[in-house]
Structure formats: C-alpha cells, structure tokens
Amino acid sequence: MPSQQKSSPEYQQFDFLMNAPALFNAAATAAELRIFMFLSENPGSDFEAIRQFTGVPSHQLRVLLQGVCAASLLERSEGGYRNSAVAEDLLASEEPGSWAHTLIGWKEIYYPAFGQMTKALKAGTNTALDSYPGDEPTLYKRLPRNPELEGVFHKAMAAFTLASINDLVEREQFSTVTHLLDIGGGDSTTTARLLERYPHMRSTVFDQPSVSELAHGKEAQKFLDRIDLVTGDFFDTPFPEGADAVLFSHVLGIFSAEQIVTLLKKAYNVLPSGGRVFIYDYNVTENETKGIYGARLGLYFNVLASGTGMAYPAEDFEGWLAEVGFENISTVAELDYEHGFHVGVKP
Ligand SMILES: C[S@@+](CC[C@H](N)C(=O)[O-])C[C@H]1O[C@@H](n2cnc3c(N)ncnc32)[C@H](O)[C@@H]1O
C-alpha cells in the first residue's frame, strides 16, 4: 500500500479509531484519579509527585501517562507534566459543566454496552440492558434501582447538557414564555438555566421520582421557588395543565416514531390555543452520513437505553409536529453539537 495513502486523513482517522477505546479509558482513568485537577493546581509536577498523589505503582502510572499524553491531553517537558490546553479547559474542574463527569459517565454506563452491539442490533432490541437488574424496558427506568449509578448518569447528562445549552437558552421564543413544562427535565439543569436567563418564567419539571430528587443539586438550588416538580412515568401520567409552552430537551430522540407522537399529543392536549411546543435534540444531516455525536447517541439508544430512537432528521420532527396538529412549524438547524430546535404552535 503506498505510504502516501496511509498519511491521508481517512487513514489517520482509522488509526485513531483503532486505538480510541484504550485512549478514551486512559483519559477517563486520569479523570477518576483527578490527575487533571492536580496538574491544574500544580502545573509542571514531576512523575514522583503524580505517583504520590495518585498512589498508582510507578510502572503502571508510566503506562497511563503515556496513554494520556498520546491522547494529547497531557504534555511533558523537562521532566514535568502539564495539562494540554484542551484538558485544562474541559477536564480540570469539578464544576457541574466539567467534561470529567461526562467521561466518567460514558466509561461507566455507555461504553461497556457497545461491546454487545452486534447482538443487540441483530436482536432488534436493547439487549445490553440485561446487565442491569430489573424488567423495566429502558435504562432510565432501571437506574433508580442503583442510586449511585443513577447519580453518575445524571452528572454526566447534566455536564453534557451544559456544553450545548447556550444555543437553547438564547432562542428568542423563550422570552415570551411565562410557564414552561419541561418534560423529562432530569435534574432541572436546563430549567435552571432558563429561569436564570428569563426572570419572569416559572417551570414545571416532569421526571421520575428518583431523578426529581436530584433537582436539589447545584444548578437548580437557587430557583426552587420557581420550580414545581411533578413525578411519574410520562407515558402513563397525565401532563400537568397550566403551562403556555412545553419543552422536550433530549427526550423525544430516545423513542420510536409512535411514542414520539404519543408524547407530542399529550403536550398538544394541555396547551392553550397559541401555546407552543419546543423540541431540542440531535439532528442527523447530510443524508444520514455525518455527525459523530448523533451517531454515538443513536447506537447507545438502540444497544442499551431504549432499543429504539436516534438522532432523527429535522424533517421527521417537523412531520410529527404536523401530524399532531401543530402549525407554524419551524426549525433552527446546525446548533452546537449537532442540535436542532423545532417549534410548533397550537392553533
Ligand atoms: C436524556 S435525559 C434528558 C434530561 C434533560 N431534559 C436534559 O436535556 O438534560 C432524559 C430524561 O427523561 C427521563 N425519562 C425517561 N423516560 C421517562 C419516563 N418514561 N417517564 C418520566 N421520565 C422519563 C429520564 O429520567 C431523564 O431524566
């Protein structure tokens, strides 16, 4: 094979792909060992200082640091180690928006499931969920059996949500909302950011009971007087009345077309005339060939989380909104991290 071909971007991407699982886990391990935080506070530390801080045996630490340097997250010069600019920006803090939470959540929950991809896709259902006790059909409904893991999951979810939330919060449509209904609002991270930006707004957050309890976490704490928590299964429990807008953020893509239409109908039924539904989710583009975040998400849904769903194209969301009876349907495309924002108005 000509060496010219091997240095092309496609070959380099293949090389990266082949080694990515090990490097990903090295980065997650460094995050778990708090190496990025240590080096942020102590830049230029030598090997011995990192060994003492982590307690990892010398040879094993040498191998780990080689992996993290090869992943371009650490730099080594004159015997000292520093975070790369990316690691310093994304991984060196414990704030709710730190990608360290996302790395650890994906390592603990998402990526172990991908080893079962062939089996799950052939079976046509999320067989990787068998690793979690219970008979509930989705990961979301099994996680409450394991509060510690559910905490890891929602920390990761909230951190990733915070990475993409500015494009949502700045949609001008929110400026005229007085009462939002945030369906599947998780630990209220999204609602908290909206309430901070729009002081006249209040929000009802609907999620499972164990998840609603997490709303007392850092982001939502300041706004609890403007947040009502409603709990239940959103397929079985009636949506609460009184909101003039309903938000589905990172919720509809989890489900099948039929389930999405069911949820949109429930939103339609509780909205007044002129009320709006907002969908914020991943959109696949370019003939379903582009977008690594959406591709990962669709595989995770099908192998583990729900056995269905994907990063649907914008046209699919628009079609479902029209099917349910919404009008003035619009999409803002190509938002951060492959997101789209879809709006429908109840006539
Ligand atoms: C992917 S998270 C999205 C969280 C939040 N909206 C965001 O954008 O960060 C999906 C949320 O839907 C909730 N959920 C999933 N199935 C549910 C159900 N059947 N009833 C109630 N909540 C559910 C999960 O607990 C989780 O908090």
Side-chain angles (χ1 to χ4, degrees):
M1 198 174 303
S3 59
Q4 197 188 353
Q5 233 179 341
K6 285 192 171 173
S7 65
S8 72
E10 291 80 8
Y11 278 83
Q12 283 177 9
Q13 177 152 325
F14 182 77
D15 285 338
F16 184 75
L17 193 64
M18 289 304 292
N19 296 290
L23 298 185
F24 170 84
N25 279 286
T29 297
E32 283 176 328
L33 293 169
R34 304 165 63 84
I35 290 175
F36 301 114
M37 290 169 209
F38 177 74
L39 288 177
S40 183
E41 285 164 16
N42 306 282
S45 293
D46 63 12
F47 183 88
E48 181 54 23
I50 302 172
R51 192 195 64 72
Q52 280 185 19
F53 176 72
T54 59
V56 175
S58 292
H59 178 72
Q60 282 69 22
L61 182 63
R62 182 180 176 190
V63 171
L64 174 66
L65 293 182
Q66 180 194 346
V68 186
C69 286
S72 304
L73 293 174
L74 291 184
E75 291 161 5
R76 185 183 187 197
S77 63
E78 294 164 14
Y81 290 86
R82 288 171 196 280
N83 290 330
S84 69
V86 172
E88 187 64 29
D89 182 28
L90 302 180
L91 299 170
S93 99
E94 274 190 296
E95 288 298 303
S98 171
W99 278 77
H101 303 308
T102 311
L103 262 182
I104 292 167
W106 290 12
K107 169 182 172 270
E108 291 292 318
I109 301 169
Y110 286 22
Y111 286 172
F114 286 149
Q116 299 180 54
M117 191 175 294
T118 311
K119 181 179 171 197
L121 296 185
K122 282 186 80 173
T125 188
N126 50 337
T127 51
L129 194 60
D130 296 346
S131 311
Y132 293 82
D135 55 8
E136 299 84 355
T138 67
L139 175 68
Y140 309 97
K141 297 199 73 179
R142 283 197 199 183
L143 277 177
R145 294 170 178 271
N146 186 339
E148 197 180 326
L149 202 61
E150 189 172 43
V152 170
F153 176 88
H154 283 283
K155 252 186 169 178
M157 177 74 225
F160 195 67
T161 292
L162 286 171
S164 65
I165 206 166
N166 287 345
D167 263 351
L168 173 69
V169 170
E170 291 310 320
R171 296 294 111 216
E172 54 91 18
Q173 285 89 342
F174 285 107
S175 62
T176 47
V177 174
T178 56
H179 186 169
L180 185 71
L181 175 58
D182 183 0
I183 297 291
D187 66 1
S188 299
T189 295
T190 304
T191 267
R193 285 297 168 103
L194 286 166
L195 295 183
E196 185 176 32
R197 176 74 176 78
Y198 303 100
H200 59 274
M201 191 192 286
R202 61 177 302 109
S203 179
T204 299
V205 181
F206 188 128
D207 212 294
Q208 307 184 86
S210 58
V211 181
S212 283
E213 278 169 29
L214 302 170
H216 297 278
K218 200 165 180 180
E219 288 293 312
Q221 200 59 243
K222 285 176 276 175
F223 305 102
L224 287 181
D225 58 331
R226 286 158 60 207
I227 299 177
D228 299 311
L229 300 175
V230 176
T231 62
D233 182 315
F234 51 46
F235 286 106
D236 306 338
T237 311
F239 284 8
E241 312 239 350
D244 53 352
V246 178
L247 172 66
F248 294 98
S249 167
H250 301 131
V251 170
L252 296 184
I254 298 169
F255 299 109
S256 67
E258 194 187 354
Q259 291 170 306
I260 291 170
V261 167
T262 300
L263 291 174
L264 286 174
K265 270 188 190 147
K266 292 183 77 164
Y268 186 95
N269 289 339
V270 295
L271 280 169
S273 171
R276 289 164 294 170
V277 64
F278 303 136
I279 302 170
Y280 189 56
D281 225 310
Y282 295 76
N283 285 167
V284 68
T285 56
E286 297 187 52
N287 202 21
E288 306 195 2
T289 59
K290 290 281 186 295
I292 54 176
Y293 278 94
R296 172 200 51 85
L297 187 80
L299 291 164
Y300 151 70
F301 287 156
N302 283 274
V303 172
L304 175 66
S306 58
T308 180
M310 65 182 289
Y312 291 105
E315 307 82 67
D316 286 15
F317 284 119
E318 292 179 349
W320 293 317
L321 286 167
E323 183 181 336
V324 168
F326 287 102
E327 295 182 351
N328 296 330
I329 294 163
S330 62
T331 291
V332 184
E334 295 185 19
L335 298 175
D336 273 358
Y337 294 100
E338 307 164 14
H339 279 62
F341 181 68
H342 316 281
V343 182
V345 183
K346 180 169 172 175

